[in-house]
């Protein structure tokens, strides 16, 4: 079996964007740099995992790409609802956990999947997990994503935003892990506009995120702000381990465990029945972890 | 529908043992006491959640009992592989996370379930999650469980120990979360010896655990010991959120989220690709997270 031209193009794109994004994040770091681990998957393909740990701005950042292929396991075929057979999957996945609770955690992911039956699709998304109530930042983030999506596929943002609100919900708590963003899946791999969308979304990462980092990274914060960040990171863990399809796909497709779990926050706390003080920024922030139209209010 | 006499007896037993265990743990705490939250389940029943936080010896300890009943949801019936209908479930679940990495985390759980079709069963288990290599402690712990189980049901320990080794395995890492213990499920609710077993297992908690706490609680430890504890607590989180049937049962049966997640460790770290130093206690400890005959070596 051969991987398609679309697959190879996607692979080239994400390798280039991995470099670009790592450079953009390293600009905030006087000393720490991304370290790369290259891994091979026994059944075919592998990945380039890049991690920056213990930075001045970023406590843990991972910008990973993987490109795997081979025969599907029965379990994987069942999850994807396709026939067993040869498949190829490649994607870029990034998660940034800053030190400061004033700077949000961000996640972005794009992926392409194809089977030897000729089925292929793109997926992707980005979502922001802030720990401090700066509605101005949240609106800006959504505006950048809106412009990005709608420029490639008119009016697409609204649907992707609603899908994101649903996807990143921690169902047992009826709350989102953050303030949303965009999420799309099963976009036909044969349509050029979908490849363009994926490219534009990844290219929007630095413009969507770095202005917020720049604005907030040197702000002071309190001990409660920090505890709240660690508690909300606990919710991030709950979501990723219980609901995230990307994590489950990684575990089921024989991906590299350390690369899959780079998304988990570095320091996390689980408190019993923690409640915010009345009138505190934390109480305000908690009210924002629900679907909301950040652009029109 | 009525709950059976067996159900009511189990409820009485676990309420008494909750008091006894909380007293036994509080003996290590000069100041902190267990705080109780009583919760009601909308569809029937509720629970008594007791949490001790920020103690001298115990960073977070939860000793919870719950007794719920009502109509099963389709999802719950599917998980349990029974017909939909009226059910009753009660149990005691405890998790203790000590401050010191020299003192192991412990978990114990017993439960009883019955349906209006006349089906009923007991389940339970206990497992130890140490962070420092003291094989003497691990052997003692298993010996106490062996004596407890075999005194009620001859030769039962061996099977329960093997089931535990399988159950508490983090499959994606091919390692156990700790050094095992015992685990049993689907023991016919109609047999008196199974009720006796459950009683004896819970009564063995203090004799199995407190001698280890007493011996290790005041030992000094290094920064690496502490980091290793937090990293292994991360594996505990991985297990509980991805594999633990008790957690999933709680989420699916409309249990109280804060009571279910009291099992999660208070402070946790997720490091990328952490490796122990060669010849370190951590390297030795890692070799013990595999099935092993602790009694006969």
């Amino acid at each position: 079996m051969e991987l398609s031209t679309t697959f190879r193009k996607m692979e080239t794109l994400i390798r280039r964007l991995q470099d670009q994004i790592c450079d953009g994040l390293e600009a905030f770091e006087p000393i720490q740099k991304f370290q790369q681990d290259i891994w091979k998957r026994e059944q075919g393909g592998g990945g380039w995992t890049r991690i920056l740990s213990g930075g001045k701005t970023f406590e843990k950042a991972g910008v990973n790409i993987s490109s795997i292929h081979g025969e599907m396991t029965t379990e994987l075929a069942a999850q994807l609802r396709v026939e067993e057979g040869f498949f190829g999957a490649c994607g870029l996945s990034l998660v940034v956990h800053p030190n400061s609770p004033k700077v949000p955690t961000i996640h972005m992911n794009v992926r392409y999947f194809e089977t030897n039956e000729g089925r292929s699709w793109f997926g992707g998304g980005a979502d922001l997990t802030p720990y401090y109530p700066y509605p101005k930042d949240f609106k800006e983030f959504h505006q950048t994503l809106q412009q990005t999506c709608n420029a490639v596929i008119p009016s697409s943002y609204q649907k992707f935003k609603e899908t994101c609100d649903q996807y990143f919900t921690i169902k047992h708590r009826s709350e989102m892990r953050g303030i949303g963003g965009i999420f799309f899946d099963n976009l036909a791999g044969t349509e050029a506009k979908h490849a363009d969308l994926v490219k534009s979304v990844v290219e929007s990462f630095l413009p969507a995120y770095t202005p917020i980092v720049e604005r907030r990274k040197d702000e002071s914060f309190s001990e409660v702000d920090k505890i709240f960040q660690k508690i909300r990171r606990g919710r991030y863990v709950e979501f990723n381990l219980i609901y995230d399809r990307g994590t489950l796909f990684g575990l089921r497709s024989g991906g590299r465990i350390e690369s899959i779990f780079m998304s988990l926050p570095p320091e996390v706390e689980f408190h019993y029945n923690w409640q915010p003080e009345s009138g505190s920024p934390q109480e305000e922030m908690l009210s924002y972890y629900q679907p909301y139209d950040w652009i029109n209010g």
Side-chain angles (χ1 to χ4, degrees), chain A residues 77-287:
Chain A
Q79 189 196 342
L80 298 168
R81 294 172 197 195
V82 295
E83 298 285 310
E84 287 180 50
F86 183 88
F87 79 103
C90 66
L92 178 148
S93 182
L94 72 86
V95 176
V96 181
H97 292 288
N99 289 302
S100 170
K102 297 289 184 83
V103 184
T105 286
I106 192 167
H107 150 262
M108 177 173 277
N109 168 259
V110 292
R111 54 198 178 270
Y112 172 74
F113 195 96
E114 66 183 28
T115 74
N116 63 350
E117 296 171 290
R119 289 188 57 188
S120 63
W121 62 90
F122 288 101
D127 78 308
L128 197 72
T129 303
Y131 309 103
Y132 203 86
Y134 286 128
K136 167 181 153 55
D137 296 355
F138 313 159
K139 182 175 181 171
E140 257 185 43
F141 177 73
H142 275 276
Q143 279 172 329
T144 306
L145 293 178
Q146 183 188 45
Q147 284 155 18
T148 302
C149 296
N150 289 354
V152 182
I153 305 175
S155 309
S156 60
Y157 161 81
Q158 190 56 32
K159 191 184 163 203
F160 298 160
K161 176 249 190 295
E162 286 166 16
T163 308
C164 183
D165 286 346
Q166 283 166 27
Y167 182 80
F168 287 109
T169 289
I170 304 166
K171 291 172 196 71
H172 56 268
R173 296 191 185 269
S174 301
E175 67 179 26
M176 291 163 65
R177 73 173 185 185
I179 58 95
I182 53 169
F183 188 90
F184 48 88
D185 206 356
N186 298 312
L187 300 185
T190 45
E191 291 197 45
K193 67 179 178 187
H194 295 153
D196 292 344
L197 177 74
V198 160
K199 178 169 178 286
S200 292
V201 164
V202 186
E203 284 173 345
S204 79
F205 170 74
L206 292 172
Y209 186 53
T210 56
I212 298 173
V213 178
E214 190 56 49
R215 189 182 304 142
R216 304 300 174 192
K217 71 185 171 65
D218 298 319
E219 286 188 7
S220 64
F221 57 84
S222 71
E223 203 182 323
V224 175
D225 297 338
K226 189 67 192 173
I227 290 172
F228 184 72
Q229 179 201 43
K230 290 186 181 178
I231 292 171
R232 292 306 306 183
R233 284 173 168 183
R235 303 293 169 92
Y236 208 87
V237 172
E238 283 181 27
F239 178 83
N240 281 21
L241 299 186
I242 301 180
Y243 301 110
D244 187 53
R245 292 205 289 263
T247 302
L248 295 175
F249 174 80
L251 297 179
R252 284 179 184 160
S253 63
R256 179 175 176 256
I257 299 298
E258 290 298 324
S259 300
I260 296 164
F261 286 141
M262 70 86 190
S263 66
L264 300 179
E267 293 187 0
V268 178
E269 293 187 12
F270 295 98
H271 291 232
Y272 171 70
N273 209 16
W274 187 89
Q275 301 293 339
E277 275 199 47
S278 179
S280 65
Q282 286 72 40
E283 188 186 47
E284 183 185 345
M285 191 62 236
L286 280 175
S287 73

Side-chain angles (χ1 to χ4, degrees), chain A residues 15-137:
Chain A
R15 293 213 61 173
R16 181 172 65 74
L17 290 170
Q18 184 186 35
D19 288 342
Q20 193 178 309
I21 288 169
C22 288
D23 288 348
L25 292 173
E26 279 180 356
F28 291 97
E29 296 298 339
I31 298 168
Q32 293 304 110
K33 300 286 162 205
F34 278 93
Q35 302 298 316
Q36 176 166 286
D37 282 329
I38 300 176
W39 56 274
K40 296 275 173 216
R41 179 172 168 276
E42 207 177 305
Q43 310 91 319
W48 294 259
T49 295
R50 289 194 193 159
I51 308 285
L52 185 152
S53 292
K56 182 166 181 278
T57 302
F58 304 120
E59 195 171 338
K60 187 179 178 185
V63 183
N64 297 353
I65 62 179
S66 62
S67 174
I68 64 174
H69 57 265
E71 293 296 320
M72 258 177 275
T73 60
T74 308
E75 197 185 12
L76 182 60
Q79 189 196 342
L80 298 168
R81 294 172 197 195
V82 295
E83 298 285 310
E84 287 180 50
F86 183 88
F87 79 103
C90 66
L92 178 148
S93 182
L94 72 86
V95 176
V96 181
H97 292 288
N99 289 302
S100 170
K102 297 289 184 83
V103 184
T105 286
I106 192 167
H107 150 262
M108 177 173 277
N109 168 259
V110 292
R111 54 198 178 270
Y112 172 74
F113 195 96
E114 66 183 28
T115 74
N116 63 350
E117 296 171 290
R119 289 188 57 188
S120 63
W121 62 90
F122 288 101
D127 78 308
L128 197 72
T129 303
Y131 309 103
Y132 203 86
Y134 286 128
K136 167 181 153 55
D137 296 355

